[in-house]
Amino acid sequence: MKTVFVVGAGPAGLFAAQKIAQGGHEVIVLNRDIKPGGLAEYGIYPTKDKMKTGLRKQFSKVLSLPNVHYLGHVSVSSQAELSIPELRDFLPSAMVFAVGAQGTKKLGLPGENARGVYAAKDYVYHYNQLPPFASQDFSVGKRVAIVGMGNVMVDIAHWLLVDDPRKMAEEVIVVARRGPFEAKFDLKEFVYIENYLDRDAFRDELKRIQPRLNAVGQDCAKVADDTFPILNKPLQQAEGGKLRFRFLSSPQSIHADASGRIDRLTVTDSHRRRGRSDCWIALQPR
Ligand SMILES: Cc1cc2nc3c(=O)[nH]c(=O)nc-3n(C[C@H](O)[C@H](O)[C@H](O)COP(=O)(O)OP(=O)(O)OC[C@H]3O[C@@H](n4cnc5c(N)ncnc54)[C@H](O)[C@@H]3O)c2cc1C
């Protein structure tokens, strides 16, 4: 029998631990977060109970194996409680590093260090109650821009428009580099926020970009059948904030107010060269 350290208890670390344990070895799992599950615990939308419960059941099955031992709230790094050389001193037979995709991706925009500009992963960690993000300031104003048009955008808009207890956001503007036919979210996810869509604004936006869609052979009339089926349903406008889209636009710079907090985002048409800005989105009229 051998002893193996697994660093990280997301899905990858836990299923690796299971396989190794089933091979008859002793497994010690070291995890930075208190709870196991990684992004499956702290990334999946808080109200998706069925999915979370199913995953938690699978994870607890792994952790209840007699030869799997879990230590939460233990970071492994040269700056943390335990370093890799220190782990080596215990003479494990092997070490598995399954620490996920850590860090956040910066857009490299001027002004992106302004207060009120958040990386999606950090914001998701915040509303999923992961320490220390849970207690940090992730406040928003009445207008919030989300850059990107995938499932994480839907989760964040869902939180802002539906579940945020402070209900600050009156307008959520999705800034998408590509057009409506290239929406990357799953339709079953978009259902959670579709009734917040501001249909008049959406039609205006389609009108604005129509010549450019036509130029690449895309037909605006097909958007409803393709990526936004809500447009084919009777209007049932949800009360509260409005969801708007700004297509074919890339963020160009972030402007802060005198207190250092974001108050404006400049976007530029995606096909134009940087420096040719065409629109400002004011973000913080509180
Ligand atoms: C915002 C967001 C939402 C998502 N929503 C969904 C969804 O709804 N459905 C879906 O199927 N997938 C979703 N995903 C994708 C899914 O969560 C990931 O694909 C999956 O969690 C990756 O598993 P992993 O084990 O590789 O890494 P992670 O889940 O990231 O796990 C890494 C683990 O390593 C630990 N760790 C990190 N650094 C250290 C260290 N130095 N020392 C010790 N431990 C460390 C962390 O605490 C964590 O427990 C989402 C991803 C994101 C970013």
Side-chain angles (χ1 to χ4, degrees):
M1 189 206 293
K2 294 180 173 164
T3 299
V4 175
F5 290 148
V6 173
V7 181
L14 289 171
F15 291 122
Q18 185 179 39
K19 277 279 169 211
I20 297 163
Q22 285 167 345
H25 307 294
E26 208 65 27
V27 185
I28 296 168
V29 181
L30 305 159
N31 192 40
R32 180 199 62 195
D33 305 334
I34 298 169
K35 289 196 219 167
L39 275 165
E41 175 64 40
Y42 294 111
I44 294 174
Y45 198 76
T47 57
K48 285 188 183 157
D49 297 330
K50 214 168 146 198
M51 189 190 269
K52 282 204 178 190
T53 310
L55 285 164
R56 281 179 190 149
K57 261 191 203 150
Q58 292 187 51
F59 299 153
S60 68
K61 228 168 149 186
V62 175
L63 293 172
S64 62
L65 291 170
N67 48 343
V68 173
H69 313 280
Y70 177 77
L71 297 169
H73 207 4
V74 178
S75 272
V76 176
S77 86
S78 51
Q79 296 97 42
E81 298 86 359
L82 264 178
S83 66
I84 295 172
E86 282 168 332
L87 284 183
R88 277 210 192 98
D89 289 343
F90 289 99
L91 303 177
S93 298
M95 291 196 265
V96 176
F97 291 91
V99 293
Q102 299 304 319
T104 48
K105 206 162 140 190
K106 292 267 180 188
L107 292 175
L109 300 177
E112 73 182 330
N113 293 325
R115 282 188 298 114
V117 178
Y118 309 123
K121 187 156 68 75
D122 297 350
Y123 194 75
V124 168
Y125 277 164
H126 171 71
Y127 66 62
N128 269 308
Q129 296 294 305
L130 172 66
F133 300 90
S135 56
Q136 289 170 354
D137 176 21
F138 280 85
S139 53
V140 298
K142 291 179 181 170
R143 301 183 86 200
V144 182
I146 306 177
V147 177
M149 193 168 45
N151 284 333
V152 175
M153 174 283 284
V154 174
D155 277 0
I156 291 173
H158 186 176
W159 177 257
L160 290 167
L161 294 166
V162 185
D163 291 314
D164 180 0
R166 282 168 294 186
K167 285 267 181 351
M168 278 299 289
E170 292 174 6
E171 189 180 356
V172 173
I173 307 153
V174 177
V175 178
R177 189 158 49 111
R178 302 222 168 93
F181 290 99
E182 285 79 42
K184 287 285 178 247
F185 48 76
D186 296 327
L187 292 180
K188 69 175 184 11
E189 299 293 331
F190 193 68
V191 164
Y192 294 107
I193 54 170
E194 63 182 11
N195 286 332
Y196 291 84
L197 184 68
D198 180 341
R199 293 198 193 185
D200 291 339
F202 195 83
R203 272 187 214 102
D204 289 346
E205 180 61 1
L206 289 186
K207 242 184 250 164
R208 184 185 74 84
I209 59 169
Q210 187 166 17
R212 290 164 63 194
L213 296 189
N214 290 347
V216 292
Q218 293 182 334
D219 179 0
C220 273
K222 294 197 175 136
V223 168
D225 295 333
D226 200 338
T227 38
F228 287 85
I230 178 66
L231 299 171
N232 284 329
K233 297 185 196 167
L235 180 62
Q236 272 189 303
Q237 191 70 47
E239 271 182 37
K242 292 261 166 59
L243 176 67
R244 300 194 169 122
F245 281 80
R246 173 92 196 178
F247 294 115
L248 303 179
S249 299
S250 299
Q252 195 201 25
S253 56
I254 288 162
H255 310 263
D257 63 16
S259 75
R261 191 177 174 102
I262 182 170
D263 73 346
R264 217 162 68 229
L265 171 70
T266 305
V267 298
T268 185
D269 277 0
S270 296
H271 72 292
R272 291 189 187 159
R273 273 184 293 131
R274 282 174 87 84
R276 303 259 330 254
S277 54
D278 68 344
C279 167
W280 282 1
I281 299 176
L283 290 179
Q284 262 328 91
R286 281 188 280 184

